[in-house]
Amino acid sequence: MLDLCNNIQAKRARTVIKHILEYGFITTEELKEKYGYDHPPRAIRDVRENGVPLNTHKITSLKTNRRIAAYTFGDPSKIIRGRIGGRKAFPKKLKQDLIKRYGSRDAISNTLLPEAYLQIDHRIPYEISGDNDSPLNLASFMLLDSSSNRQKSWACEHCPNFLETRSIDFCKSCYWSSPEEYTHIAGSPFRRIDITWSEQEVDIYDRLFQQAKKAKLSLPDFIKKKLEK
């Protein structure tokens, strides 16, 4: 385990590994407060993407008395040896090719955004699919803004398929992989639509928000009732 961990060069992954080697475990609280990671699960995914198994435990924070996650090294026999060194860097041309194909928009909300706000993401989580597909296969990737990327990361990390089965076909039919056509959301029989109001449309959103508030309903529930009528 130590020899393999020493081969990992990615900064976030090395930070997590070094801390666990020194103290035996690392918590989401430490990742955020000591190392400044606003999204601790992303740093944990960096380690797992490099093929190193981590176990998740629930402990009580001494500072807040709340339940938080703590991570330790997992079973060395579960090391994914082909992953040591992490995912391959995306070619610079890939983002432009994706924009040409899908437009400069977030794949989840379908919102047009400046390309600087968009990030390349594997449709199927790297931990499940690896880099088996060529980067030239545009259908294997999607563009997400940081908010959608965080939502997808959280959903995938808590999905039974991600934690246990790791079926690529299961992922292919999931909303977070194929928002254009899906049968489930992280294994649950849900349907969803993300709507963004921009520019002049903001006034419409504000009116709907005030109407929902007056009706004592959340905005999504209010819009669903409007649609039902």
Side-chain angles (χ1 to χ4, degrees), residues 12-13 16 31 37 39-48 54:
R12 273 190 309 209
V16 175
L31 283 165
Y37 295 142
H39 185 50
R42 177 65 259 182
I44 298 303
R45 282 189 69 183
D46 284 352
V47 179
R48 287 172 170 157
L54 294 179

Side-chain angles (χ1 to χ4, degrees), residues 177-192:
S177 172
S178 306
E180 308 87 352
E181 186 177 359
Y182 60 95
T183 60
H184 64 90
I185 300 179
S188 299
F190 294 131
R191 298 291 184 274
R192 63 178 285 170

Side-chain angles (χ1 to χ4, degrees), residues 40-224:
R42 177 65 259 182
I44 298 303
R45 282 189 69 183
D46 284 352
V47 179
R48 287 172 170 157
E49 285 176 355
N50 277 272
V52 178
L54 294 179
N55 291 333
T56 304
H57 313 270
K58 286 294 183 181
I59 65 172
T60 301
S61 168
L62 296 177
K63 291 184 178 180
T64 64
N65 205 36
R66 293 181 178 178
R67 300 291 284 172
I68 59 174
Y71 304 93
T72 60
F73 288 129
D75 184 346
S77 69
K78 294 183 179 179
I79 289 172
I80 307 176
R81 296 182 182 277
R83 300 281 177 81
I84 298 299
R87 67 175 71 186
K88 298 174 184 176
F90 293 129
K92 293 181 180 180
K93 185 174 178 289
L94 179 58
K95 189 173 188 180
Q96 292 303 316
D97 289 342
L98 287 167
I99 289 174
K100 288 178 182 178
R101 178 164 180 167
Y102 300 112
S104 186
R105 62 178 70 246
D106 176 271
I108 299 300
S109 66
N110 206 37
T111 305
L112 283 169
L113 294 167
E115 63 177 85
Y117 289 92
L118 295 170
Q119 305 165 1
I120 301 171
D121 190 66
H122 289 82
R123 284 187 178 269
I124 298 174
Y126 173 84
E127 294 92 328
I128 294 177
S129 68
D131 276 322
N132 294 328
D133 288 332
S134 166
L136 297 179
N137 184 2
L138 299 183
S140 297
F141 301 92
M142 63 202 308
L143 293 169
L144 300 175
D145 67 12
S146 57
S147 176
S148 292
N149 212 334
R150 285 194 298 271
Q151 290 181 60
K152 179 178 178 180
S153 293
W154 190 94
C156 290
E157 288 159 8
H158 292 79
C159 175
N161 182 62
F162 185 93
L163 296 171
E164 300 171 6
T165 315
R166 299 201 165 217
S167 165
I168 290 178
D169 287 338
F170 184 94
C171 286
K172 285 181 178 179
S173 59
C174 178
Y175 171 82
W176 294 109
S177 172
S178 306
E180 308 87 352
E181 186 177 359
Y182 60 95
T183 60
H184 64 90
I185 300 179
S188 299
F190 294 131
R191 298 291 184 274
R192 63 178 285 170
I193 185 168
D194 292 82
I195 306 173
T196 301
W197 287 265
S198 61
E199 299 179 356
Q200 295 90 343
E201 297 172 339
V202 171
D203 290 337
I204 299 173
Y205 173 90
D206 290 340
R207 289 201 302 272
L208 287 169
F209 181 81
Q210 291 303 323
Q211 291 173 30
K213 188 176 180 181
K214 188 175 181 180
K216 296 182 179 180
L217 293 170
S218 67
L219 187 53
D221 286 341
F222 180 75
I223 291 174
K224 282 195 283 188

